């Protein structure tokens, strides 16, 4: 009993003295008005931004990301959801739809202030045990190999600049072979700057089962950012790109009724006539 009480006290003291351990993965919300917000993401963490809203101002707020290491580069990855576009004199407008984004470390995330605007961002840092990776593509092709026992999950794919929409292209191997474009980038600059009155594009996610190679070709004048991870494909999900129309089943010929054999009528045997006896005359 004494040992148990000491153990309980030790656990309470541990959690009180190590509050960072308890709340390391907790959500945080920050308001940005006049000073920029900087969020540092270590190498063993990923940042999940759940909502990013704006009220007031002319330009639209953005979230910028600077990746370090081999995947270095800078890109804007998220635009703010404007709250005042469906309130007040704009109350008849439909509310904008917000996006979420995941950024794998090591990275530094910044939220610059917008003149006359109030921004709010909610996020959390989580252990990157699932192996999230974030890559920036500018001039070189990105290739992601997916083994047969894995599937690829792309959580966000954004674009700033350029004319054409960027795409993720997937050639499948094996019996389900073929090539298809499976995801288009969410354009960040279509609702910022001179386009700040436009609604943000809605981001999509996609899952690709291996064996496959996902390719992200660069787009001239554009900066792309993609976040993804590979997971064990224990559920046996599959992806098929070649959709073959099922042949129209031909009508099955109904088996013809087998004619019942007509029994052969055997004629009755003709009775053999008995010889007529000629009466003999009396003597």
């Amino acid at each position: 009993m004494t040992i148990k009480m000491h153990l309980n006290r030790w656990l309470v003291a541990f959690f009180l003295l190590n509050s960072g351990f308890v709340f390391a993965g907790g959500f945080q919300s920050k308001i940005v008005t006049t000073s920029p917000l900087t969020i540092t993401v270590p190498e063993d963490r990923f940042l999940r931004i759940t909502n990013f809203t704006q009220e007031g101002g002319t330009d639209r707020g953005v979230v910028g990301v600077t990746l370090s290491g081999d995947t270095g580069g800078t890109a804007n990855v998220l635009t703010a959801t404007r709250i005042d576009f469906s309130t007040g004199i704009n109350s008849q407008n439909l509310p904008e739809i917000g996006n979420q984004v995941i950024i794998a470390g090591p990275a530094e995330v910044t939220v610059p202030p917008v003149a006359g605007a109030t921004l709010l961002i909610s996020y959390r840092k989580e252990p990157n045990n699932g192996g999230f990776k974030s890559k920036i593509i500018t001039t070189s092709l990105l290739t992601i190999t997916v083994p047969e026992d894995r599937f690829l999950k792309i959580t966000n794919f954004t674009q700033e600049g350029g004319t054409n929409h960027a795409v993720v292209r997937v050639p499948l191997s094996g019996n389900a072979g073929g090539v298809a474009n499976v995801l288009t980038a969410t354009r960040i600059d279509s609702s910022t700057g001179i386009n700040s009155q436009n609604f943000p594009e809605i981001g999509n996610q996609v899952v690709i089962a291996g064996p496959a190679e996902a390719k992200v070709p660069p787009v001239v004048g554009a900066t792309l950012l993609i976040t993804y991870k590979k997971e064990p494909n224990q559920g046996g999900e599959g992806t098929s790109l070649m959709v073959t129309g099922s042949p129209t089943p031909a009508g099955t010929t109904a088996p013809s009724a087998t004619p019942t054999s007509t029994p052969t009528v055997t004629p009755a045997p003709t009775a053999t006539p008995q010889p007529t006896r000629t009466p003999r005359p009396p003597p």
Side-chain angles (χ1 to χ4, degrees):
M1 188 67 175
T2 304
I3 297 176
K4 185 176 181 181
M5 290 176 62
H6 283 299
L7 179 61
N8 291 339
R9 290 174 183 174
W10 182 86
L11 289 174
V12 171
F14 175 80
F15 285 113
L16 288 176
L17 295 175
N18 295 275
S19 57
F21 174 82
V22 179
F23 301 104
F27 280 104
Q28 298 186 47
S29 294
K30 303 286 186 181
I31 290 179
V32 180
T33 53
T34 58
S35 301
L37 171 67
T38 300
I39 307 169
T40 301
V41 187
E43 186 175 4
D44 60 344
R45 296 287 189 273
F46 69 87
L47 180 74
R48 183 191 302 272
I49 300 176
T50 57
N51 49 276
F52 180 41
T53 59
Q54 172 178 349
E55 184 176 15
T58 302
D59 293 336
R60 194 181 288 261
V62 295
V63 174
V65 172
T66 299
L67 297 181
S68 55
D70 297 335
T71 58
T74 300
N76 290 329
V77 298
L78 186 64
T79 53
T81 305
R82 295 209 58 151
I83 302 301
D84 50 353
F85 274 9
S86 61
T87 59
I89 61 174
N90 300 314
S91 59
Q92 301 304 310
N93 295 344
L94 293 175
E96 293 185 358
I97 298 176
N99 289 321
Q100 298 190 9
V101 71
I102 289 176
I103 304 298
E108 194 166 83
V109 177
T110 57
V111 183
V114 175
T118 299
L119 311 176
L120 183 139
I121 186 170
S122 294
Y123 62 90
R124 68 185 298 181
K125 301 176 188 178
E126 301 181 32
N128 198 6
N129 299 329
F132 277 110
K133 294 184 179 180
S134 293
K135 305 283 187 181
I136 289 179
I137 302 107
T138 52
T139 58
S140 301
L141 172 74
L142 173 65
T143 301
I144 307 169
T145 302
V146 188
E148 187 175 3
D149 60 344
R150 295 287 188 273
F151 69 86
L152 177 72
K153 181 178 182 180
I154 300 176
T155 58
N156 46 273
F157 180 38
T158 59
Q159 172 179 350
E160 184 178 22
T163 302
N164 296 328
H165 255 103
V167 296
V168 175
R169 183 171 301 145
V170 176
L172 290 184
S173 54
N175 295 329
V179 180
N181 293 332
V182 297
L183 185 64
T184 53
T186 304
R187 295 209 55 150
I188 301 301
D189 50 354
S190 289
S191 61
T192 59
I194 61 174
N195 300 314
S196 59
Q197 304 302 306
N198 296 341
F199 283 8
E201 293 186 358
I202 300 175
N204 290 320
Q205 298 187 5
V206 71
V207 169
I208 304 297
E213 272 195 348
K215 300 179 182 292
V216 184
V219 174
V220 177
T223 300
L224 315 176
L225 183 138
I226 187 170
T227 300
Y228 62 91
K229 70 173 179 177
K230 302 175 189 177
E231 297 187 31
N233 196 6
Q234 298 173 352
E237 290 83 356
T239 301
S240 177
L241 295 180
M242 306 301 292
V243 181
T244 306
S246 302
T248 305
T252 306
T253 305
S256 56
T258 304
T260 306
S261 57
T262 305
T264 305
V265 180
T266 304
T270 305
T272 303
Q274 297 294 326
T276 304
R277 288 186 177 185
T278 304
R280 295 177 66 182

